[in-house]
Amino acid sequence: MKKILTLLSGLAFSVLSFSQISLKIELLPDNSTIKVSMIPEVTYAFPQNVTASGQITIKVPHGFGNYSFEVVNLNSLTPGADWAFNNRVDAPVEAPAWDYLSFGLVSNGTSAYNYQAGVELPMFSFQNGAAACADSIRLFDNINDPLISPNSLGINLENTVVVLGGGLVNSVSENVGTASVPGTPAALCEDLDFTSVLLCDGEAYQGSVYTQNTSIEEHFTTYLGCDSGFVVEIKVGVSTSATVDTAVCKGNMFNGTIINQDQMMTMTLVNGQGCDSVITYNVTALQPASTASDTLILPGQIFVGTAIFNDTIVVLTYPASNGCDSVHTVQVSVYQVPVTVQDTTLCQGEPFNGIIYNQSITLIDTLTGSTGFDSLLLTNIFINPSYIEFQTIPLCQGSVYKNVAYFQDTIIIESYSTANGCDSLIYTTLDVALPKIYVQDTMICFGENYQGLTVTKDTLLESVIYSAHGCDSIVYQTNIDMLPAANADIQGKTAICKHEPIVLTAYGGASYLWNNGQTTKTVQVATGGTYSVLVTNNFGCQDMAELVVIDTDPSVEIDAASPGCADGGDGAIRFLNPSGGEAPYSFSIDGGSLFTTYSNFDNLPPGRYALIMRDKNGCTWENATELIDPFDYQLDLSNDTTIILSESVQLKVATNLFQPASIEWWPAQGLDCTDCLEPTATPYESTVYHLRLTDSTGCAFEGKTHITVDRAEGIFVPTAFSPNEDGVNELLLVYAGENITRIRSFQVFNRWGVQVFSTENFKAGDPLHGWDGYWQGRRALTGAYVWSVQVEYVDGKAALYQGSVLLLR
């Protein structure tokens, strides 16, 4: 066919190059075959309908191992236009969730496609030979697909159909509808899963660094082969940093470190976005100040609160302006001076130089001379007693003492003379009792008892106590501050399944004490019983909680009935008399994938079932049973075969059901009988014949065989002829097989597309309808010519064939 494209190249520039072709993909009713077609938007007659090349790319969800999409049963649907599976690209970096399958037209230069505007042209079909289905099978999008050229692989996967009438450029314009084929069964495919990832600036996720919040959707193929995926919400946080200058006195502690010199320290925290927050401290070590001085004092003189009699050193510490201690050292010198002593006698209470002394004392006077410290005068004062007496008389407020009423404490002084001439004094203290109020604060836990009162809020209590005199009262006020109660709680399972340990967790406090002696927040128990915990919160308040845990071991009886027919669906499994656990119970026959409260399962096929019963506590009983397949009838039909249109074939049957109660073939078209065991089939088109046999009990089983009807092999036109009047190969004739009843038309064109011969309605091989090599009464030039033949098959359907022939002289 390359030779045809060369001869017609001059014609390509005389037609429009803006034609468009839409592509379509669909799932056929057998729910397993995928068909690809094209729909032209313009009509092309021969030779403009010559298809130079074609490439179709289909994308399927990426699979793994046995679940990777496998192209099988590839069929070209238009005779004379053959397609092949060329290559595949699995999970490219631009689209890791997809595999790309490329199909190519191997009949380059074919004119097999009859391009009629709006008429769908089937191209090819195929099936998935992998272990499971794949959904979202779709055509490559020439405009929006992530793998359009240029890409990381340096390849071009676009959908192309190059037609001579389209100017020998890609005529594909769009995909029809969604151009997508859903997988089956769709109910097995999983929904998208959502997750969130926190990244701090500079961090990578799956090899990529993100600087802003991003949503990523990725698709994969599940173990069923169906499309599944997840959405990752990437949130990008920002790390923060700060520098703080601070000063610490030398030798003091800063953030757990003793500071003796200037240094830099860092601390890493977590900010509100969950990223690092780094604080850098520039720490300056402050030095304490140190000074010294001298001073001169007299013996016994007070210096900084202490009487000094000998030379000494006093060290004083003061706060400095920088906040650190300042040390001042004083050298104290004591000056020894001459001492003069004099004595004097006084009555107790008598003043001396304006001062009253109540006991003997020595006074030191300093007599300052020219040097500042000349001498000391010591005065010994001797005090004669005055016989002072003290007494206290209690009075009620307002009571009368010696004709005087008193309302507050009062001291009365009465004077008498002694034998020494000194006064004798009696001091009488009148203790006037006033009402007194004493306030005390106390704290108790919520709900505790205080002096017979249950306290649930902050409370002020008052109590009155009468004095011993019977006149005054004392008021005690108690401020009761209520502390938060400890609300004890135990959470965990309340049942132990088959002695498998469970974990109990206590809440409501800062420390815990279980009745089994453990002090942890959680305990593990393996036997039923009552478990309690004493909870103490941060305020010392306590509360008690308890939980009753039971031992359980569910059991149930099983009644199973196998199907009545081979591969039948009337089997049943029933759970009877559940016990040993706590109702309500739920039941599963698929190993726990699905639970139901119904205990009866009907309409079951044969096979092995994993049985589980679960009580309300989640405790389970597990077992397995098998529904036996009854006697399995065998049925084998003739192998799939291909016949030429108009041929017949007998359908062969092999079965171990020797006397079927009924025989049924369908469809009836092309069969000589539908109730006999081995009919003869003469179909006019490819057909799948089905056979159903039924035994005397009503059990039925089926088989099928596929007969493909081939129309393409029924025509032959020579590739060369020589009308040179030598009697050999003078005519260009059309030959056909028995499946073709007549030739509707036979046309021949030269290299410029001009028709040089035409004839209609004749039997194949008729010499009266052959071309003799003449055009318009003259010998046609030697060279290549293009012919077009429209035939009619025995079933009344028509087909168009084209080819080339070489005219020789």
Side-chain angles (χ1 to χ4, degrees), residues 540-765:
C541 296
Q542 295 181 328
D543 191 21
M544 179 78 74
E546 68 178 24
L547 182 69
V548 177
V549 178
I550 65 172
D551 288 305
T552 180
D553 188 3
S555 63
V556 68
E557 300 174 10
I558 299 299
D559 181 19
S562 297
C565 296
D567 298 322
D570 57 346
I573 296 176
R574 289 173 170 79
F575 293 79
L576 304 176
N577 305 321
S579 62
E582 286 193 276
Y585 296 93
S586 57
F587 310 89
S588 173
I589 62 172
D590 60 358
S593 297
L594 177 66
F595 280 92
T596 176
T597 57
Y598 295 100
S599 59
N600 296 336
F601 297 83
D602 298 316
N603 303 319
L604 300 178
R608 187 169 183 82
Y609 293 85
L611 311 181
I612 300 178
M613 182 185 73
R614 183 175 63 191
D615 71 358
K616 79 169 188 177
N617 297 307
C619 298
T620 60
W621 170 93
E622 300 182 17
N623 207 332
T625 189
E626 184 173 6
L627 301 185
I628 304 302
D629 197 352
F631 181 79
D632 188 10
Y633 291 115
Q634 302 298 318
L635 175 61
D636 292 324
L637 273 66
S638 302
N639 293 332
D640 295 347
T641 186
T642 300
I643 63 174
I644 301 299
L645 181 65
S646 77
E647 289 184 348
S648 298
V649 62
Q650 187 176 20
L651 304 183
K652 296 296 184 180
V653 177
T655 179
N656 57 356
L657 177 58
F658 299 108
Q659 293 182 342
S662 67
I663 301 173
E664 179 184 3
W665 286 91
W666 77 93
Q669 290 81 2
L671 298 180
D672 61 349
C673 65
T674 59
D675 57 356
C676 59
L677 194 59
E678 295 184 341
T680 298
T682 312
Y684 283 160
E685 59 184 12
S686 297
T687 305
V688 177
Y689 287 104
H690 297 263
L691 170 63
R692 179 186 294 117
L693 301 180
T694 305
D695 67 6
S696 59
T697 65
C699 292
F701 55 104
E702 299 177 0
K704 65 180 179 179
T705 184
H706 186 192
I707 298 179
T708 301
V709 178
D710 188 358
R711 303 169 181 271
E713 298 180 356
I715 184 172
F716 170 73
V717 177
T719 57
F721 77 114
S722 56
N724 54 6
E725 300 179 357
D726 63 354
V728 179
N729 202 14
E730 296 286 339
L731 295 176
L732 179 64
L733 298 176
V734 178
Y735 301 95
E738 295 180 357
N739 58 340
I740 295 177
T741 58
R742 68 187 177 106
I743 308 299
R744 289 186 177 183
S745 66
F746 175 32
Q747 298 173 313
V748 180
F749 302 86
N750 63 16
R751 70 180 63 187
W752 296 279
V754 177
Q755 179 178 296
V756 298
F757 176 75
S758 177
T759 183
E760 297 180 346
N761 297 320
F762 60 93
K763 290 288 186 179

Side-chain angles (χ1 to χ4, degrees), residues 444-448 453-459 480 482-483:
I444 64 174
C445 297
F446 177 89
E448 286 187 355
L453 176 67
T454 299
V455 179
T456 59
K457 62 181 180 179
D458 293 344
T459 306
I480 302 176
M482 184 191 69
L483 299 175

Side-chain angles (χ1 to χ4, degrees), residues 771-782:
W771 184 38
D772 58 3
Y774 280 80
W775 175 45
Q776 295 180 348
R778 298 180 180 181
R779 288 185 176 186
L781 299 176
T782 60

